[in-house]
Amino acid sequence: MNLLECLVAIALSMLLLNPLLKTSADLVAKQIEYEKRQSLTAEAERAFELIGRAIRMAGYRNIDSQQRYKQAEQWILVQKKSGFRGSDSVTVHHEISSAIDFDCIGNALTKERTKYGLARQGFLVDRQAGIAKGAKVNGGSLICQSLDRQGRLQNTTLMNGVNYLAIEEMNTSEKSPTQKLYQVSLQMTDGALLNLDLMRTFSTRNLP
């Protein structure tokens, strides 16, 4: 086989292999995208579970409690456009039960983790810590606000990749005017191509 025949053979091989290589590359890219999508969805579901649990706990009163609170006490408070990229935040107060309950970072709720007899759980989105100003980031950080053992407010990062958090109070049935319905929306991002919009609806159960 002379040089010309070798070159022709190589050219023909490339013509045959190029479609296969492109298909393989596309499959790998799709697999990576699928795995990122699954990971972001799983993180969002974890966030929804924690936020939903807090909303359901809002206003809970222990049956043995003798504590009285002002009518103006904010059992659940939504602050609009107060966080990263105009994200909303939510703060919930409730008493602790006789059973074992946990705050949004998994600490068992005790009297030490209360202030004026109330536990606090809050959620907001903030800029990722340790990122230089102007640097590209994959969204913000979902922050859990809770009380430490001295009753002091502490902020703990739950996850990154949260682009936006929105919380909207919805109209509820006239049969249960004291309970509230909230629509929680999350946009998750990988900082590149993926921006996933997810939404869940939660109802309070314990408002007085």
Side-chain angles (χ1 to χ4, degrees):
M1 181 179 291
N2 57 37
L3 179 60
L4 179 60
E5 291 174 332
C6 288
L7 293 174
V8 171
I10 292 173
L12 290 174
S13 298
M14 293 301 297
L15 288 174
L16 293 172
L17 289 175
N18 274 341
L20 295 175
L21 293 173
K22 185 178 184 303
T23 301
S24 298
D26 290 343
L27 287 174
V28 170
K30 289 291 184 182
Q31 179 65 25
I32 293 173
E33 179 183 339
Y34 173 78
E35 291 176 357
K36 285 184 177 180
R37 189 180 295 271
Q38 291 296 102
S39 177
L40 291 174
T41 301
E43 289 283 78
E45 290 297 340
R46 183 164 70 96
F48 282 133
E49 180 180 353
L50 294 171
I51 296 172
R53 185 177 67 185
I55 289 174
R56 289 190 290 268
M57 285 292 292
Y60 172 81
R61 299 291 307 275
N62 190 305
I63 193 172
D64 298 322
S65 174
Q66 302 297 319
Q67 185 74 31
R68 293 188 177 184
Y69 302 99
K70 297 178 181 179
Q71 291 185 352
E73 180 67 54
Q74 294 288 340
W75 294 109
I76 181 166
L77 175 65
V78 175
Q79 292 184 303
K80 304 297 292 181
K81 300 186 181 303
S82 58
F84 179 76
R85 291 179 178 168
S87 292
D88 301 336
S89 65
V90 60
T91 303
V92 165
H93 289 96
H94 58 84
E95 291 188 342
I96 59 176
S97 69
S98 301
I100 299 177
D101 295 322
F102 300 93
D103 64 13
C104 44
I105 56 175
N107 292 320
L109 290 173
T110 60
K111 290 182 179 179
E112 290 78 15
R113 294 185 183 276
T114 64
K115 190 172 184 179
Y116 306 119
L118 295 176
R120 170 176 174 149
Q121 298 189 71
F123 298 90
L124 58 95
V125 181
D126 202 357
R127 181 179 174 82
Q128 289 186 37
I131 303 296
K133 189 174 182 180
K136 185 177 180 180
V137 296
N138 60 327
S141 299
L142 181 65
I143 305 296
C144 160
Q145 288 188 329
S146 58
L147 300 176
D148 65 14
R149 291 180 180 177
Q150 286 72 46
R152 298 172 301 194
L153 187 65
Q154 61 181 1
N155 290 344
T156 306
T157 298
L158 292 174
M159 64 189 68
N160 296 320
V162 181
N163 219 24
Y164 184 72
L165 168 66
I167 303 170
E168 298 291 341
E169 183 177 351
M170 304 174 68
N171 294 328
T172 55
S173 170
E174 295 181 358
K175 295 180 180 179
S176 57
T178 60
Q179 302 309 311
K180 297 182 178 181
L181 196 65
Y182 291 91
Q183 181 177 276
V184 180
S185 303
L186 277 172
Q187 184 181 82
M188 307 295 294
T189 182
D190 67 345
L193 299 176
L194 287 180
N195 290 291
L196 302 183
D197 293 300
L198 301 105
M199 183 186 302
R200 298 289 184 273
T201 302
F202 305 101
S203 174
T204 59
R205 295 180 178 175
N206 299 287
L207 293 183

